[in-house]
Amino acid sequence: MKKRTLGFWEIWNMSFGFLGIQMGFALQNANASRILQIFGADVHELSWFWLIAPIMGLIVQPIIGHYSDNTWTRFGRRKPFFLLGAVLASVGMILIPQADFMIAILPALWVGAGMLMIMDASFNIAMEPFRALVADNLSDEQTTKGFSIQTALIGIGAVVGSWLPWMLTNWFGVAKTSAQGTVPDNLLWSFIIGAIALIGSILITIFTTKEYSPEELAQFEASKNPNGNSEDVAEERKAKLTDIFEDFRKMPETMRQLSWVQFFSWFALFGMWVFAVPAIAQHIYGLPAEDSSSEVYQEAGNWVGILFGIYNGISAIFAFLLPYIAKRISRKKTHAYSLFIGGIGLILIYFMPNEYWLILPMFCIGIAWASILSMPYAMLAGSISAKKMGVYMGIFNFFIVIPQIINGIIGGPLVKYAYDNQAIFALVVSGVSFIIAGLLSFKINDKKDTVNV
């Protein structure tokens, strides 16, 4: 018994909710540091506030993965979780740029950080079951294609989310500046629009996608492993939350090898997301480290949104090429070379003469981002049991969030004391980290690399 081969538009609709999720992530990645600085955070404190994101992922994703593996309702297996996550994330998105309205109760900075926590926890509730849904519904022969289409939708959503503040200002005349300590209207409305898009895209996936029942998934697994027995299924139905620790200990070899690649990849990404705005404002626009409210600073922030949109747009295009490149040279080599290109791009930012030249490094970063969002998950999905897909996708998130936590702890002090408040060097270190991740990719034992399209 085999899973049905899905057509392009079926895979597209199944992954469509990720467009809205990534719109939210893009708005957060491009603007959260700016919003926190507006509310009073210093440059060297930004990474500490951003610790909220990986900590939420570390806690939430394995738990949600476990329960989505072992829960079946009349609404489905994964669907209830990513719908709940989308609703909660939308609330956080609407409230974070308006945190100053609670200033009579708490400092706006802390309210903003609290809304960031709600957003991140909710994004993780929505995202982990989406990864597992693609692996649930697709055969081994289609996993690379499935994650590549998902990456393309992520790229489209991220382009729109990253560019929204700029578009609202330049196309619709929404104000891009505001009084000291308040968020400009273009940011405020961008987050509201992003929240609406998040809910809408999730609903498209829910109404157009059918999930396999636990019994059907068990039959698929039995057909791949004819020596297995029905007791395995019963055991999974009795699974306890504490089994996560045992699952962690028994993770497959491929997953262990991927963990190091993920560590250095996401250490790099965290540094880029946290410090891109202050780095470019200082290094390219010539602003002092303490400037977080001038019109030029807001212009730099808006331009970073454009740049982030460019690299996400490149990733959306490159994602369609990944299955064909991987088929020719293998998935691990595709991932390694993509990371090398991304590392070179981050280092190049230091040498760019003006803001327009920064578009060049974004092409390189977009290639790496496309591969990061698809190749590791395609390799992972081929190495784990369908019955453990959700929990292992959640555990795999450990190797995304732990490097971000480490960077969050040391990144700010490094900028302040080692880099003399020059955030550009955080981006250079991120480039080196990408290159290390690329070297480690060659060590991955991808056992199902011959069935990658």
Side-chain angles (χ1 to χ4, degrees):
M1 186 176 179
K2 291 185 63 177
K3 294 177 184 177
R4 186 171 65 86
T5 299
L6 300 186
F8 175 87
W9 291 111
E10 290 177 296
I11 301 174
W12 177 274
N13 288 337
M14 179 176 63
S15 299
F16 195 77
F18 241 112
L19 184 147
I21 292 173
Q22 198 59 34
M23 271 189 70
F25 259 127
L27 283 164
Q28 174 183 297
N29 290 340
N31 300 293
S33 288
R34 179 162 42 146
I35 290 171
L36 292 171
Q37 281 191 283
I38 288 170
F39 290 151
D42 292 329
V43 171
H44 70 273
E45 296 173 335
L46 291 176
S47 63
W48 297 339
F49 284 105
W50 274 77
L51 279 172
I52 295 167
I55 290 172
M56 288 297 100
L58 186 66
I59 296 170
V60 170
Q61 285 215 20
I63 295 173
I64 294 298
H66 170 83
Y67 282 113
S68 71
D69 277 344
N70 296 283
T71 301
W72 179 259
T73 72
R74 63 192 182 96
F75 301 108
R77 185 187 195 190
R78 314 290 184 187
K79 292 178 183 179
F81 291 95
F82 54 71
L83 178 59
L84 173 64
V87 171
L88 294 176
S90 297
V91 172
M93 289 179 66
I94 291 170
L95 293 181
I96 188 172
Q98 304 181 74
D100 56 313
F101 83 99
M102 293 186 67
I103 200 167
I105 304 172
L106 289 170
L109 179 59
W110 291 103
V111 177
M115 292 304 108
L116 185 62
M117 181 178 69
I118 292 173
M119 285 170 57
D120 278 305
S122 305
F123 282 141
N124 280 289
I125 291 171
M127 185 164 48
E128 192 285 330
F130 247 114
R131 296 283 191 199
L133 177 67
V134 173
D136 285 345
N137 280 12
L138 296 179
S139 63
D140 291 335
E141 291 79 8
Q142 286 197 299
T143 52
T144 301
K145 179 182 288 185
F147 284 114
S148 296
I149 291 173
Q150 188 178 90
T151 299
L153 283 161
I154 287 171
I156 294 168
V159 169
V160 177
S162 298
W163 287 3
L164 257 181
W166 183 90
M167 289 190 292
L168 289 177
T169 294
N170 290 274
W171 295 357
F172 302 102
V174 181
K176 65 179 180 181
T177 58
S178 61
Q180 181 79 23
T182 61
V183 173
D185 284 348
N186 66 334
L187 280 186
L188 191 153
W189 282 104
S190 293
F191 276 82
I192 293 173
I193 294 169
I196 295 169
L198 173 56
I199 295 292
S201 63
I202 291 283
L203 290 175
I204 287 174
T205 291
I206 287 174
F207 289 123
T208 61
T209 301
K210 179 183 180 296
E211 294 187 75
Y212 288 116
S213 69
E215 291 75 22
E216 289 173 313
L217 289 172
Q219 290 176 329
F220 296 141
E221 190 71 15
S223 67
K224 290 198 299 182
N225 300 288
N227 296 326
N229 57 62
S230 59
E231 293 177 4
D232 294 334
V233 178
E235 181 182 346
E236 291 301 322
R237 288 177 178 167
K238 299 177 192 173
K240 304 184 296 294
L241 184 60
T242 52
D243 290 345
I244 291 173
F245 301 105
E246 183 68 11
D247 293 331
F248 185 89
R249 187 180 68 83
K250 293 181 178 179
M251 75 176 74
E253 177 193 24
T254 300
M255 186 171 174
R256 293 182 186 276
Q257 294 165 339
L258 279 166
S259 68
W260 288 103
V261 177
Q262 292 290 86
F263 180 93
F264 286 99
S265 299
W266 287 88
F267 185 94
L269 288 166
F270 187 85
M272 179 184 73
W273 290 332
V274 173
F275 294 109
V277 171
I280 289 171
Q282 295 166 12
H283 191 67
I284 302 297
Y285 286 80
L287 297 177
E290 60 273 12
D291 187 342
S292 62
S293 60
S294 69
E295 185 172 350
V296 176
Y297 176 84
Q298 300 296 350
E299 189 67 34
N302 287 339
W303 185 244
V304 169
I306 295 295
L307 295 174
F308 278 21
I310 290 171
Y311 89 69
N312 280 290
I314 294 301
S315 76
I317 297 169
F318 190 66
F320 289 110
L321 302 177
L322 281 172
Y324 306 100
I325 298 172
K327 188 174 183 179
R328 291 183 65 88
I329 68 173
S330 83
R331 293 192 285 211
K332 67 180 182 182
K333 288 183 180 178
T334 300
H335 194 47
Y337 296 144
S338 298
L339 290 169
F340 290 155
I341 293 169
I344 292 168
L346 277 166
I347 294 170
L348 278 176
I349 292 175
Y350 181 86
F351 299 98
M352 295 297 100
N354 59 52
E355 66 269 29
Y356 301 108
W357 274 94
L358 292 173
I359 293 171
L360 175 61
M362 295 303 119
F363 275 75
C364 300
I365 294 167
I367 289 171
W369 183 230
S371 189
I372 289 168
L373 290 174
S374 55
M375 288 297 108
Y377 295 98
M379 289 186 274
L380 176 68
S383 70
I384 56 182
S385 164
K387 294 178 289 186
K388 291 283 187 179
M389 191 64 68
V391 72
Y392 271 127
M393 286 289 181
I395 290 173
F396 196 52
N397 193 57
F398 287 174
F399 313 117
I400 292 174
V401 300
I402 290 173
Q404 294 183 70
I405 291 171
I406 293 173
N407 197 338
I409 292 170
I410 68 174
L414 282 173
V415 168
K416 184 175 183 179
Y417 299 109
Y419 311 149
D420 192 27
N421 277 325
Q422 297 302 303
I424 186 63
F425 293 108
L427 303 191
V428 174
V429 170
S430 291
V432 174
S433 188
F434 261 162
I435 291 171
I436 294 171
L439 292 171
L440 291 170
S441 296
F442 289 114
K443 296 182 175 292
I444 299 169
N445 180 16
D446 185 11
K447 296 177 182 178
K448 296 194 177 182
D449 201 35
T450 57
V451 286
N452 52 28
V453 295

